[in-house]
Amino acid sequence: MSLQTTPAQADQSLGSLAVQIPGATAVFRRLKLDFCCGGQQSLDAACAHKGLDAAAVLSEIRALQEQKAAPEAPAPAELIDHILQRYHEVHRQQLPELIRMARRVEAVHRDHPQVPKGLADHLESMERELLDHMAKEEQILFPLLKQGGHPMVVHPIGVMRHEHVSHGAQLERLAELTQQHQPPTGACNTWQALYAGTARLSDDLIEHIHTENNLLFPVFEGQARH
């Protein structure tokens, strides 16, 4: 997919802008505009909901269009392999260590007013849901997609999209528990490393969902409509 040649418009969806304009995802993340789970809403609507100046955001997005074109989109099989290596494997490595650090911080600093009480339990809940979600993709959905898809594949894709919404809600709760991933002044190294890790997990999971929702799934949903 090449860079969008016509100027970005305020009535375009966040998902389409994220796909077509390199760098847009960083802008959306900074402004906390949900381009993965909420990618179907327009830039205008999303800005209105957040109380942001849509014209200013649009101007920033359009400035990115002057940069070099995006590379061609990979074939679905290549994209699936990328998702498995870049996201599935990474999440499986990230979460056990984050849970371990969260348990330690909650125990050692239990009397600190900003201790993230309940963070380890929340991370364990995220891990359970993510492991189940990724297993369904690896065992059922992705093999179907690698075979070229099937008219009925829209149904498991719909399930995955629904679960992505749940992941998005979990990320919002993760940000609340960690004070937007900002450790308190004087936090120990483990606490600092924990929040650096939760921030990375959040960024990775947002990009993971975006890649599936806005790049991979539409290829097969479009086939099913024809």
Side-chain angles (χ1 to χ4, degrees):
M1 183 179 295
S2 61
L3 187 72
Q4 178 173 306
T5 54
T6 57
Q9 302 298 323
D11 61 357
Q12 281 184 262
S13 72
L14 295 181
S16 68
L17 292 170
V19 169
Q20 295 166 356
I21 302 176
T25 58
V27 174
F28 294 155
R29 272 204 302 270
R30 191 186 77 243
L31 299 174
K32 294 183 169 47
L33 293 172
D34 181 6
F35 63 89
C36 57
C37 302
Q40 299 308 306
Q41 64 180 329
S42 69
L43 178 65
D44 246 349
C47 288
H49 180 68
K50 288 283 188 179
L52 298 171
D53 181 346
V57 178
L58 183 61
S59 177
E60 188 172 356
I61 294 297
R62 285 180 172 174
L64 294 170
Q65 292 183 280
E66 299 174 6
Q67 299 177 14
K68 65 180 183 178
E72 291 298 309
E78 295 173 353
L79 191 55
I80 288 169
D81 288 341
H82 169 72
I83 290 167
L84 292 172
Q85 181 177 8
R86 173 61 184 86
Y87 301 115
H88 285 212
E89 288 186 19
V90 170
H91 294 330
R92 287 189 172 101
Q93 294 168 5
Q94 288 171 318
L95 282 155
E97 179 63 10
L98 290 175
I99 292 166
R100 184 194 69 77
M101 287 194 291
R103 289 267 176 238
R104 179 170 178 78
V105 168
E106 287 185 62
V108 173
H109 302 285
R110 57 185 173 273
D111 296 328
H112 193 290
Q114 290 177 265
V115 68
K117 188 175 181 181
L119 177 58
D121 286 346
H122 182 67
L123 287 167
E124 285 188 340
S125 176
M126 289 186 69
E127 183 183 43
R128 283 194 300 272
E129 286 200 21
L130 264 176
L131 289 176
D132 180 66
H133 177 85
M134 293 189 298
K136 283 184 280 192
E137 289 185 333
E138 293 164 6
Q139 296 166 17
I140 300 168
L141 180 59
F142 287 173
L144 277 175
L145 299 187
K146 280 195 168 187
Q147 292 167 13
H150 182 279
M152 298 301 290
V153 83
V154 294
H155 299 298
I157 285 177
V159 172
M160 295 300 100
R161 282 187 178 276
H162 179 73
E163 292 183 2
H164 285 167
V165 174
S166 175
H167 299 333
Q170 289 183 320
L171 286 175
E172 289 182 8
R173 179 60 180 151
L174 181 63
E176 291 173 2
L177 286 167
T178 59
Q179 305 293 315
Q180 307 298 319
H181 313 287
Q182 297 298 316
T185 302
C188 69
N189 288 339
T190 299
W191 202 335
Q192 293 182 52
L194 170 63
Y195 282 12
T198 58
R200 176 64 184 272
L201 171 67
S202 181
D203 284 348
D204 284 348
L205 186 50
I206 286 170
E207 285 289 348
H208 179 182
I209 294 170
H210 161 63
T211 302
E212 292 183 357
N213 276 6
N214 299 325
L215 288 174
L216 179 62
F217 294 165
V219 173
F220 298 93
E221 291 166 328
Q223 289 177 2
R225 287 193 290 268
H226 291 90

